[in-house]
Amino acid sequence: MKPETLSPLQASQLLEQGALLIDIRDRTDYLREHIPQAISLPLTEITKGKTVEGSGQQSVIFHCQAGMRTTHHADELMKAVSSGKVFLMSGGINAWKGAALPTTEDKKQPLPVIRQVHITAGMLILLGVILGYAVDSRLFLLSGFIGAGLVFSGVTGFCGMATLLQKMPWNRPVQ
């Protein structure tokens, strides 16, 4: 049995009635921007067996960035709730913002790592193309190498650039 899907407006109405909203994104993404009533419980913790505490008979709504993680991991999310009805919010926080519902944003927190990967990969590919034309055609290989890394990341789910960026000093959450 799969959980029912709600629109952000339906989720907002359930929150007013006492439902719990669980944000399954990484904690750094949550700290950067989240829905005010949301509780952070990253998917990585749920897949290791952590459960939603204090749900009782309340409805529990799960959300992520765009709705894909909640949909793909619906079974695990259902198991994380001992009682009460489980819902998935379609479209995640992106759809919530698209519906002009409020979020809490802390721009002092680091950008989400995936955005940092996009920025870094884009800059390196652009640099490889510019240097390939301006300096030496062998420098096009830089763009090819980054492109191959992105394909590898997409196929395997492992992103070396993200792993490296997560260790950078600017990615420590601001207290």
Side-chain angles (χ1 to χ4, degrees):
M1 184 170 134
K2 296 281 184 201
E4 189 179 328
T5 303
L6 300 173
S7 72
L9 291 173
Q10 291 170 316
S12 176
Q13 291 167 349
L14 264 183
L15 287 172
E16 290 173 7
Q17 297 169 15
L20 286 178
L21 180 63
I22 308 295
D23 187 331
I24 67 165
R25 298 173 302 145
D26 292 334
R27 200 151 333 265
T28 53
D29 295 339
Y30 173 86
L31 291 172
R32 177 76 180 193
E33 183 176 29
H34 62 274
I35 297 168
Q37 303 93 319
I39 298 165
S40 176
L41 181 58
L43 180 61
T44 53
E45 293 180 24
I46 293 170
T47 56
K48 291 177 184 170
K50 186 148 184 175
T51 59
V52 176
E53 295 179 20
S55 63
Q57 294 299 316
Q58 289 177 295
S59 295
V60 177
I61 307 164
F62 289 99
H63 85 86
C64 59
Q65 187 71 34
M68 296 301 289
R69 274 177 283 189
T70 54
T71 301
H72 286 21
H73 297 278
D75 292 336
E76 291 154 295
L77 299 176
M78 295 268 306
K79 292 176 191 170
V81 178
S82 57
S83 62
K85 191 150 181 167
V86 176
F87 297 95
L88 305 179
M89 187 173 75
S90 63
I93 194 170
N94 290 345
W96 180 273
K97 293 189 302 186
L101 294 167
T103 61
T104 300
E105 191 172 7
D106 183 356
K107 292 191 184 235
K108 293 181 202 161
Q109 297 296 335
L111 281 174
V113 172
I114 192 65
R115 284 189 54 200
Q116 292 180 45
V117 167
H118 293 162
I119 292 166
T120 305
M123 286 181 4
L124 288 171
I125 289 169
L126 184 60
L127 180 65
V129 169
I130 291 169
L131 292 176
Y133 278 116
V135 179
D136 187 334
S137 63
R138 291 177 289 188
L139 290 169
F140 283 120
L141 291 173
L142 173 62
S143 299
F145 177 74
I146 298 300
L150 292 171
V151 170
F152 177 80
S153 172
V155 170
T156 65
F158 172 77
C159 181
M161 189 181 294
T163 304
L164 180 65
L165 286 169
Q166 283 177 322
K167 295 179 181 182
M168 293 294 123
W170 61 80
N171 280 324
R172 293 191 184 99
V174 177
Q175 301 297 330

